């Protein structure tokens, strides 16, 4: 019995021990989720699955040509690649249990000792090395807090986008800040993928710079619809414009966006002259505007209309010029038989030259000479520095054109027939045509000369032979101007006409009975013409469609020109006794050899002078891109025998994500001021172009234009860099 009791005691003690051990190692599922200290404690293996958004890509399409920096945008995509994942696990006491960095496709699995009485926080942060960020940056993060048990095998971790933000800086351009102010701004921001909208605005806020904050904005492309009321301080009038822009919001970053009003179809200012405006305005590179009237006055205005000086050079009408030479001096010709050289500083006369008749047809110049025709029938060549006569040639009386200078220095004059003069005054050749050639010659980049007589338009080769002839039942008036894509423009009696440069074929015509001036072509191939009914009309140069017009109040007297200051230029035109400045969307003249009357803003009628076409703005939807210059270390080698051009350069900018930059190669030849397109590449270091053959034996300069088509959709961000 004692023996049995002894065994029973041993059995009882062992049973208690086994029961205790079993209770400490409960079967799977026992005590799961318990909140007391009797929960499961032990090791388990966890798999972590990151639940990522289905796409990081934003896409939109837009057809409005002014919606995205004035360019037509068909699509826009931006991706933020994930470079690495940071993962951390902590318990409810704040103790770190596990952490580490992983690649996006890594399987995250590890063992962890858990206590069912505690909660566990899983945190992940996703990084990108996209070049829009200066360093590798965390752009998304998410976390989840749960209890764990021995049955927990997988934790699904949702990783959500962090909302981004954008600072919208509404600014009046510096060139207009003294003239305009915001009266009210209303903005509706709409996310192009989710449709989420936000509205902000202010009223009664006389200011030139207004800031709005777009906060808690889901990343991606946002459509910004803006309605802005501006006030012209000097004229006292207000006007409203509406515009749509697009901007990209990025996760966990606040980017500044500078937003400028685009003003057009509005008179900026009107300056009254003593007499009627009698000459096409000339514009210097510093923005100074020169215009003359029929009372003998010559005026100089700053770009914002402040009068610098006004001088009455003669009591006779001034009809020739003003023409600005490369040193800034101004030349005008008058009905008193004189040509005047004028100092741009104060309007004082440097010298005057007396011809044998009225000087009313136009002036041009070369390095040493000025050329002009007078009513006595002579073509004059006069020393540009001192006003001494070099030579004169008797063409005869009749209708004369202004002289034009070609790339090789040849001087062309239309006076019944077309005369080609060598610089020494000898005749190079003549072209008879129909015997009634009378308007100034326009010169193409390949040397082709276009000249008009009656209902005939002739294209003449540099050797004086006919290239093609175009005819019309009506009559052509004035000189041709050359636009983009092989198109040129000329006015007929009641038409604005578009002609194919290659063969003289009529492309389109626009009918209106009061067209008066030689057209002007801007960089977007828009055509500007002044009309006798007082309207400035603007046409699409490709289709002939009327884009807009504005009533200037009186009869237009002069051909238009463009200002040379600011990102968006104004049209300058003589209207009755006024100089009128009209807001447009023009960025500059068309980059062709003859885009306006007398060729350029300086009215030089010389194919060797540089066109002032304006520089593209670096202030865009993504703020200011600080590139000075974006391309450097440019070098080039041309092998005529091998028909190859090798260009090397350095692309200096790596800040914002300009991954789709395009590099366009141009060349210049000795004696030419025009750039010729050669080819393009996406390489950021250079390109080798084969099968390159030029008629000229050598290249003078090589240039590279950078075109950004990611966020700036064709915006040229630098002018050609010279070799």
């Amino acid at each position: 019995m004692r023996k049995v009791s002894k065994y029973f005691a041993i059995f009882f003690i062992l049973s208690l021990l086994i029961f205790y051990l079993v209770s400490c190692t409960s079967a799977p599922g026992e005590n799961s989720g318990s909140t007391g200290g009797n929960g499961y404690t032990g090791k388990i293996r966890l798999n972590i699955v990151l639940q990522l958004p289905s796409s990081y890509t934003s896409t939109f399409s837009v057809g409005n040509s002014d919606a995205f920096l004035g360019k037509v945008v068909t699509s826009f995509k931006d991706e933020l690649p994930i470079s690495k994942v940071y993962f951390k696990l902590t318990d409810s006491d704040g103790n770190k249990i596990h952490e580490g960095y992983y690649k996006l496709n890594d399987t995250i699995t590890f063992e962890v000792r858990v206590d069912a009485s505690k909660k566990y926080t899983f945190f992940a942060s996703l990084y990108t090395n996209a070049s829009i960020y200066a360093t590798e940056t965390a752009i998304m993060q998410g976390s989840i807090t749960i209890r764990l048990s021995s049955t927990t095998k997988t934790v699904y971790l949702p990783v959500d986008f962090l909302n981004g933000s954008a600072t919208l800086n509404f600014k009046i351009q510096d060139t207009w800040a003294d003239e305009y102010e915001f009266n009210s701004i209303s903005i509706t921001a709409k996310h192009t993928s989710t449709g989420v909208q936000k509205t902000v605005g202010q009223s009664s806020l006389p200011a030139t710079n207004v800031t709005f904050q777009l906060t808690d904005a889901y990343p991606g492309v946002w459509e910004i619809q803006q309605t802005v009321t501006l006030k012209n301080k000097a004229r006292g009038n207000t006007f409203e414009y509406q515009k749509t822009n697009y901007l990209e919001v990025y996760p966990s970053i606040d980017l500044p966006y500078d937003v400028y009003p685009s003003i057009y179809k509005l008179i900026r200012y009107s300056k009254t002259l003593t007499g009627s405006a009698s000459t096409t305005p000339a514009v210097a590179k510093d923005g100074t505007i020169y215009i003359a009237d029929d009372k003998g006055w010559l005026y100089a205005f700053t770009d914002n209309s402040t009068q610098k000086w006004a001088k009455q050079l003669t009591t006779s009408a001034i009809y020739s010029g003003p023409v600005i030479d490369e040193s800034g001096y101004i030349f005008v010709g008058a009905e008193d038989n004189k040509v005047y050289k004028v100092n741009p500083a104060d309007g004082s006369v440097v010298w005057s030259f007396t011809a044998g008749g009225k000087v009313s047809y136009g002036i041009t110049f070369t390095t040493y000479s000025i050329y002009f025709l007078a009513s006595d029938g002579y073509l004059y060549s006069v020393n540009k520095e001192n006003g001494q006569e070099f030579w004169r040639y008797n063409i005869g009386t009749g209708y004369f054109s202004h002289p034009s200078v070609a790339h090789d220095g040849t001087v062309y004059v239309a006076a019944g027939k077309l005369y080609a003069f060598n610089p020494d005054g000898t005749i190079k050749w003549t072209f008879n045509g129909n015997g009634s050639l009378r308007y100034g010659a326009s010169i193409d980049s390949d040397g082709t000369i276009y000249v008009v007589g009656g209902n005939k338009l002739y294209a003449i080769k540099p050797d004086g032979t006919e290239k093609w002839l175009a005819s019309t039942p009506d009559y052509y008036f004035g000189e041709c101007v050359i636009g983009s894509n092989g198109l040129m423009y000329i006015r007929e009696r009641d038409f604005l006409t578009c002609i194919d440069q290659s063969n003289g074929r009529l492309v389109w015509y626009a009918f209106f009975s009061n067209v008066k001036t030689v057209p002007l072509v801007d960089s977007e191939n828009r055509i500007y013409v002044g009309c006798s009914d007082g309207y400035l009309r603007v046409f699409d140069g490709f289709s002939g469609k009327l884009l807009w017009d504005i009533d200037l109040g009186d009869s237009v007297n002069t051909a238009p020109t463009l200002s040379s200051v600011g990102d968006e230029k104004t049209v300058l035109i003589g209207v009755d006794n006024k100089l009128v400045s009209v807001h447009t969307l023009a960025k500059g003249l068309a980059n062709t050899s003859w885009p306006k009357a007398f060729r350029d803003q300086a009215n030089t009628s010389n194919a060797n002078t540089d066109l002032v076409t304006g520089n593209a703005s670096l202030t865009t939807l993504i703020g200011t891109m600080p590139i000075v210059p974006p391309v450097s270390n440019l070098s080039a080698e041309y092998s005529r025998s091998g028909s190859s051009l090798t260009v090397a350069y350095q692309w200096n900018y790596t800040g914002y994500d300009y991954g789709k930059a395009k590099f366009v190669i141009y060349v210049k030849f000795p004696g030419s001021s025009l750039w010729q397109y050669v080819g393009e590449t996406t390489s950021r270091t250079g390109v080798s172009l084969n099968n390159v053959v030029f008629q000229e034996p050598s290249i003078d300069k090589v240039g590279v234009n950078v075109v950004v088509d990611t966020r700036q959709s064709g915006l040229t961000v630098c002018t050609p860099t010279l070799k």
Side-chain angles (χ1 to χ4, degrees):
M1 184 69 180
R2 289 178 183 174
K3 191 174 182 179
V4 173
S5 299
K6 180 180 178 181
Y7 285 132
F8 179 80
I10 294 172
F11 177 78
F12 181 77
I13 293 170
L14 289 174
S15 298
L16 289 175
L17 180 61
I18 292 170
F19 179 81
Y20 175 77
L21 291 174
V22 170
S23 67
C24 292
T25 56
S26 58
E30 289 184 67
N31 299 324
S32 294
S34 65
T35 59
N38 297 320
Y40 167 78
T41 299
K43 286 187 176 181
I44 61 174
R45 177 164 290 278
L46 290 177
N47 296 308
I48 309 301
V49 177
L50 300 178
Q51 294 179 299
L52 301 178
S54 60
S55 174
Y56 313 131
T57 303
S58 302
T59 305
F60 72 88
S61 299
V62 59
N64 185 344
S65 62
D66 293 324
F68 199 73
L69 298 178
K71 304 290 183 181
V72 176
V73 176
T74 56
S75 65
F76 177 98
K77 292 186 177 181
D78 186 36
E79 296 185 0
L80 293 174
I82 304 303
S83 59
K84 66 181 180 182
V85 176
Y86 169 72
F87 172 77
K88 183 173 69 173
L89 172 63
T90 58
D91 63 18
S92 54
D93 295 328
N95 299 313
K96 181 172 63 178
I97 297 174
H98 178 84
E99 72 172 337
Y101 287 93
Y102 299 87
K103 294 181 180 178
L104 181 62
N105 296 320
D106 286 350
T107 299
I108 304 177
T109 181
F110 55 87
E111 285 189 346
V112 59
R113 184 176 179 84
V114 300
D115 184 340
S117 65
K118 296 182 179 180
K119 291 184 178 180
Y120 294 85
T121 299
F122 297 81
F123 172 85
S125 181
L126 275 64
Y127 286 74
T128 184
N129 54 7
S131 57
I132 186 170
Y133 298 92
T135 61
E136 195 171 35
T137 303
I139 60 166
M140 290 181 286
Q141 66 182 16
S143 64
I144 185 172
T145 300
I146 61 174
R147 295 187 185 278
L148 296 176
S149 73
S150 59
T151 61
T152 308
K153 303 296 184 182
T154 303
V155 173
Y156 294 93
L157 179 63
V159 176
D160 300 318
F161 274 115
L162 282 179
N163 282 340
S165 60
T167 301
L168 303 177
N169 299 311
F170 278 78
K171 298 180 178 180
I172 304 292
Q173 294 187 21
D174 290 343
T175 52
W176 303 343
D178 292 335
E179 305 166 55
Y180 293 94
E181 63 185 13
F182 291 112
N183 267 11
S184 65
I185 301 176
S186 176
I187 302 170
T188 299
K190 179 180 179 181
H191 193 271
T192 57
S193 297
T194 66
V196 173
Q197 288 194 176
K198 294 176 177 290
T199 302
V200 294
Q202 291 188 44
S203 59
S204 302
L205 53 108
T208 58
N209 190 341
V210 182
T211 298
F212 295 95
Q213 196 74 23
L214 185 64
T215 58
D216 296 327
Y218 190 84
V221 178
W222 287 76
E223 179 184 82
I224 307 297
Q225 296 178 338
Q226 38 182 299
T227 301
V228 175
T229 302
L230 288 175
K231 179 180 180 181
N232 185 307
K233 298 177 185 178
R235 297 172 65 85
N237 59 322
T238 60
F239 64 98
E240 183 179 277
Y241 84 91
Q242 293 180 326
K243 187 177 181 180
T244 301
N245 286 106
Y246 293 86
L247 58 85
E248 178 81 357
V249 173
Y250 291 92
S252 70
I253 192 171
D254 188 331
L255 284 181
Y257 294 79
D258 294 336
V259 183
Y260 294 90
S262 293
I263 309 173
Y264 71 99
K265 197 180 176 181
L266 182 79
I267 294 176
R268 183 184 181 191
Y269 60 76
S270 176
K271 301 298 291 186
T272 301
L273 312 177
T274 302
S276 295
S278 57
T279 63
T280 296
V283 184
K285 292 184 179 182
D286 67 358
T288 302
I289 303 159
Y290 301 99
I291 190 170
D293 67 20
D294 62 1
K295 302 296 183 183
W297 286 83
L298 177 65
Y299 304 84
F301 297 98
T302 63
D303 179 71
N304 68 358
S305 81
T306 301
Q307 183 173 297
K308 296 174 72 171
W309 49 258
K311 297 288 183 180
Q312 187 173 26
L313 305 178
T314 172
T315 57
S316 300
I318 297 174
Y319 290 126
S320 287
V323 173
I324 307 169
D325 75 0
E326 64 273 20
S327 298
Y329 287 96
I330 308 109
F331 298 88
V332 296
E335 297 281 271
D336 63 358
N337 299 3
K338 290 183 178 181
V339 171
Y340 297 87
K341 179 179 181 179
V342 179
N343 190 323
D346 56 10
S348 59
V349 174
V350 179
W351 54 253
S352 64
F353 173 86
T354 303
K358 299 176 181 179
V359 183
S360 306
Y361 308 101
I363 299 170
T364 189
F365 64 84
T366 57
T367 303
Y368 305 106
S369 303
I370 64 166
Y371 300 96
F372 57 90
L373 281 154
S375 60
D376 62 351
Y378 282 90
L379 171 66
Y380 290 85
S381 174
V382 172
N383 188 308
K384 193 169 63 173
E385 296 303 314
N386 57 28
Q388 299 299 308
E389 182 178 323
F390 283 135
W391 52 262
R392 67 177 72 183
Y393 188 96
N394 188 7
I395 295 177
T397 57
Y399 293 107
F400 302 130
S401 74
H402 67 78
S404 301
V405 177
H407 299 91
D408 62 359
T410 301
V411 181
Y412 297 112
V413 175
K417 53 186 175 181
L418 182 66
Y419 294 83
F421 286 92
N422 292 307
D424 62 1
T426 58
I427 293 285
K428 191 174 184 178
W429 50 257
T430 60
F431 178 86
N432 290 327
N434 61 358
S436 61
L437 307 183
R438 57 175 294 184
Y439 294 106
S442 304
I443 304 168
D444 209 343
S445 55
D446 64 357
T448 301
I449 309 107
Y450 304 104
V451 67
V452 168
N455 68 336
K456 309 292 183 184
L457 169 62
Y458 295 91
I460 305 165
K461 298 177 183 178
D463 63 3
T465 59
E466 183 179 307
K467 185 175 182 179
W468 52 255
L469 168 65
S471 298
T472 177
D474 211 326
Y475 288 91
Y476 293 111
F477 292 88
E479 61 192 284
C480 290
V481 296
I482 299 173
S484 305
N485 288 25
L487 302 176
M488 62 184 191
Y489 308 92
I490 190 170
R491 75 177 184 97
E492 298 181 34
R493 189 189 309 273
D494 295 325
F495 300 92
L496 174 64
T497 302
C498 175
I499 294 173
D500 189 322
Q501 281 179 257
S502 63
N503 53 25
R505 180 181 62 86
L506 175 66
V507 179
W508 58 258
Y509 65 87
F511 173 80
F512 54 107
S513 61
N514 41 40
V515 58
K516 185 174 182 179
T517 73
V518 174
L520 177 148
V521 192
D522 76 6
S523 56
E524 296 299 313
N525 221 48
R526 291 176 287 237
I527 315 302
Y528 303 76
V529 290
C531 304
S532 57
D533 63 356
Y535 275 82
L536 173 70
R537 292 187 167 93
V538 183
F539 294 84
D540 183 303
F542 297 109
S543 66
K545 176 185 176 182
L546 178 66
L547 299 176
W548 55 270
D549 58 16
I550 180 172
D551 186 357
L552 303 180
D554 291 293
S555 177
V556 173
N557 290 353
T558 76
T561 192
L562 285 184
S563 65
S564 63
V565 173
D567 182 35
E568 291 180 351
K569 316 300 181 188
T570 62
V571 163
L572 301 163
I573 195 166
V575 180
D576 194 35
N577 66 331
K578 296 177 288 293
L579 168 67
V580 178
S581 173
V582 180
H583 281 289
T584 74
L585 298 175
K587 305 295 184 182
L589 291 173
N591 194 20
T592 64
S593 60
W594 214 275
K596 64 172 288 289
F598 309 112
R599 184 177 185 268
D600 51 25
Q601 274 115 319
N603 292 343
T604 67
S605 300
N606 186 330
N608 293 298
T609 53
D610 286 330
L611 285 170
V612 182
T613 58
N615 295 321
S617 171
L618 301 184
T619 305
T620 69
L621 295 180
I622 61 163
T624 301
M625 188 168 68
I627 306 176
V628 187
V631 169
S632 64
N633 296 337
L634 177 65
S635 63
E637 293 184 4
Y638 172 56
S639 171
R640 190 176 190 186
S641 58
S643 304
S644 66
L645 174 65
T646 301
V647 180
Y649 48 80
Q650 178 179 336
W651 171 242
N652 293 330
Y653 196 71
T654 58
Y656 294 110
D657 189 13
Y658 293 109
K660 298 179 183 178
K662 180 173 65 176
F663 301 84
V664 187
I665 313 301
Y666 295 87
V667 298
K668 264 188 181 182
F669 302 107
S672 173
S673 63
L674 298 175
W675 292 95
Q676 178 174 318
Y677 170 86
V678 180
E680 58 192 55
T681 179
T682 57
S683 170
R684 299 189 175 205
T685 58
V687 64
S688 293
L689 300 166
N690 299 317
N691 301 318
V692 178
V693 179
F694 302 118
Q695 293 182 346
E696 293 77 359
S698 63
I699 294 174
D700 184 28
K701 295 178 180 178
V702 172
V704 177
N705 265 7
V706 182
V707 179
V708 175
D709 60 6
T710 299
R711 294 180 181 82
Q712 296 176 310
S713 184
L715 176 68
T716 301
V717 298
C718 71
T719 52
T721 308
L722 308 187
K723 176 184 174 184

